[in-house]
Amino acid sequence: QVQLVESGGGLVQAGGSLRLSCAASRRIFTMAWFRQAPGKEREFVAAISSSAATTFDADSVKGRFTISRDNAKNTVYLQMNSLKPEDRAVYYCAATDHVWGPRVQQYEYWGQGTQVTISS
Protein backbone atom coordinates (compact mmCIF):
# COMPACT_ATOMS: atom_id res chain seq x y z
CA GLN A 1 0.00 0.00 0.00
CA VAL A 2 1.01 3.60 -0.61
CA GLN A 3 -0.32 6.65 1.15
CA LEU A 4 -0.27 9.94 -0.73
CA VAL A 5 -0.65 13.26 1.03
CA GLU A 6 -1.12 16.43 -1.02
CA SER A 7 -0.58 20.02 0.05
CA GLY A 8 -0.27 23.45 -1.51
CA GLY A 9 -3.70 24.19 -2.86
CA GLY A 10 -5.47 27.47 -2.26
CA LEU A 11 -6.85 30.64 -3.78
CA VAL A 12 -4.83 32.57 -6.34
CA GLN A 13 -5.54 35.31 -8.84
CA ALA A 14 -5.64 34.55 -12.54
CA GLY A 15 -2.12 34.76 -13.92
CA GLY A 16 -0.62 33.75 -10.59
CA SER A 17 1.25 30.65 -9.51
CA LEU A 18 0.89 27.79 -7.05
CA ARG A 19 3.01 24.78 -6.25
CA LEU A 20 1.39 21.54 -5.19
CA SER A 21 3.25 18.82 -3.33
CA CYS A 22 2.48 15.17 -2.79
CA ALA A 23 4.42 13.00 -0.39
CA ALA A 24 4.31 9.23 -0.82
CA SER A 25 4.89 6.72 1.95
CA ARG A 26 7.43 4.87 -0.21
CA ARG A 27 9.18 5.22 -3.55
CA ILE A 28 6.89 4.37 -6.43
CA PHE A 29 7.50 4.08 -10.14
CA THR A 30 5.16 6.65 -11.67
CA MET A 31 3.63 9.65 -9.97
CA ALA A 32 1.05 11.87 -11.56
CA TRP A 33 -1.45 14.66 -11.10
CA PHE A 34 -5.09 14.64 -12.14
CA ARG A 35 -7.76 17.26 -11.60
CA GLN A 36 -11.51 17.33 -11.38
CA ALA A 37 -13.59 20.43 -11.94
CA PRO A 38 -17.18 20.64 -10.68
CA GLY A 39 -19.49 18.58 -12.85
CA LYS A 40 -16.65 17.18 -14.94
CA GLU A 41 -14.74 13.92 -15.07
CA ARG A 42 -11.34 13.57 -13.52
CA GLU A 43 -8.69 14.40 -16.11
CA PHE A 44 -4.98 13.77 -16.50
CA VAL A 45 -2.65 16.72 -15.94
CA ALA A 46 0.91 15.40 -15.82
CA ALA A 47 3.02 12.37 -14.93
CA ILE A 48 6.66 11.67 -14.22
CA SER A 49 8.72 8.52 -14.34
CA SER A 50 10.69 7.08 -11.46
CA SER A 51 14.00 8.45 -12.68
CA ALA A 52 12.37 11.82 -13.34
CA ALA A 53 13.91 11.60 -16.78
CA THR A 54 10.57 11.57 -18.54
CA THR A 55 7.50 13.70 -18.02
CA PHE A 56 4.15 13.81 -19.74
CA ASP A 57 1.80 16.80 -19.80
CA ALA A 58 -1.74 17.32 -20.96
CA ASP A 59 -2.07 19.76 -23.85
CA SER A 60 -4.14 22.11 -21.71
CA VAL A 61 -1.22 22.74 -19.34
CA LYS A 62 1.81 22.52 -21.61
CA GLY A 63 4.13 25.43 -21.13
CA ARG A 64 2.39 26.49 -17.91
CA PHE A 65 2.63 23.52 -15.52
CA THR A 66 5.77 21.60 -14.64
CA ILE A 67 5.90 18.27 -12.83
CA SER A 68 9.00 17.24 -10.93
CA ARG A 69 9.95 14.81 -8.20
CA ASP A 70 12.44 14.42 -5.39
CA ASN A 71 13.06 10.73 -4.91
CA ALA A 72 14.99 11.31 -1.68
CA LYS A 73 11.73 12.64 -0.23
CA ASN A 74 9.34 10.43 -2.22
CA THR A 75 7.63 13.64 -3.22
CA VAL A 76 6.19 14.91 -6.48
CA TYR A 77 5.53 18.55 -7.23
CA LEU A 78 3.32 20.43 -9.67
CA GLN A 79 4.43 23.97 -10.35
CA MET A 80 1.50 25.83 -11.87
CA ASN A 81 2.14 29.17 -13.55
CA SER A 82 -0.07 31.53 -15.55
CA LEU A 83 -3.14 30.07 -13.89
CA LYS A 84 -6.46 30.52 -15.65
CA PRO A 85 -10.02 30.38 -14.30
CA GLU A 86 -10.47 27.07 -16.12
CA ASP A 87 -7.69 25.56 -14.00
CA ARG A 88 -10.00 25.68 -11.01
CA ALA A 89 -10.43 22.13 -9.74
CA VAL A 90 -9.62 19.64 -7.04
CA TYR A 91 -6.13 18.34 -7.84
CA TYR A 92 -5.34 14.74 -7.03
CA CYS A 93 -1.99 13.06 -6.71
CA ALA A 94 -1.88 9.55 -8.15
CA ALA A 95 0.72 6.82 -8.29
CA THR A 96 1.34 3.43 -9.80
CA ASP A 97 4.08 0.83 -9.81
CA HIS A 98 3.66 0.56 -13.59
CA VAL A 99 4.43 2.82 -16.52
CA TRP A 100 2.50 6.03 -16.86
CA GLY A 101 -0.85 6.46 -18.55
CA PRO A 102 -3.48 9.20 -18.90
CA ARG A 103 -6.40 7.16 -17.57
CA VAL A 104 -7.69 7.16 -14.01
CA GLN A 105 -7.90 3.36 -14.07
CA GLN A 106 -4.15 3.06 -14.56
CA TYR A 107 -3.36 4.35 -11.07
CA GLU A 108 -3.84 2.26 -7.94
CA TYR A 109 -3.10 4.91 -5.35
CA TRP A 110 -4.73 8.30 -4.83
CA GLY A 111 -4.42 11.22 -2.48
CA GLN A 112 -7.35 12.96 -0.88
CA GLY A 113 -7.21 15.96 -3.21
CA THR A 114 -6.41 19.62 -2.74
CA GLN A 115 -8.61 22.49 -3.94
CA VAL A 116 -7.23 25.09 -6.33
CA THR A 117 -9.41 28.15 -6.83
CA ILE A 118 -8.66 30.92 -9.33
CA SER A 119 -10.10 34.39 -8.92
CA SER A 120 -10.50 36.51 -12.04
Side-chain angles (χ1 to χ4, degrees), residues 57-66 79-82 84:
D57 305 315
D59 288 344
S60 59
V61 305
K62 280 188 188 297
R64 300 189 299 123
F65 292 10
T66 302
Q79 178 66 44
M80 304 186 294
N81 298 328
S82 302
K84 304 175 181 179

Side-chain angles (χ1 to χ4, degrees), residues 77-88:
Y77 304 97
L78 186 68
Q79 178 66 44
M80 304 186 294
N81 298 328
S82 302
L83 283 160
K84 304 175 181 179
E86 53 263 41
D87 294 318
R88 175 193 175 219

Side-chain angles (χ1 to χ4, degrees), residues 11 14-15 26-27 30 42 53 55 58 60 65 78 81-84 91-94 96 99-100 109:
L11 172 66
R26 65 164 172 85
R27 183 161 175 170
T30 299
R42 195 168 297 189
T55 62
S60 59
F65 292 10
L78 186 68
N81 298 328
S82 302
L83 283 160
K84 304 175 181 179
Y91 284 72
Y92 294 92
C93 178
T96 178
V99 295
W100 88 282
Y109 307 108

Side-chain angles (χ1 to χ4, degrees), residues 3-7 19-28 31-33 48-50 52 67-78 93-94:
Q3 284 74 50
L4 302 173
V5 179
E6 300 115 331
S7 61
R19 189 175 84 151
L20 306 182
S21 301
C22 172
S25 55
R26 65 164 172 85
R27 183 161 175 170
I28 191 160
M31 299 189 78
W33 290 96
I48 188 165
S49 64
S50 178
I67 189 170
S68 61
R69 68 189 288 172
D70 182 341
N71 286 331
K73 298 180 179 179
N74 294 333
T75 298
V76 64
Y77 304 97
L78 186 68
C93 178

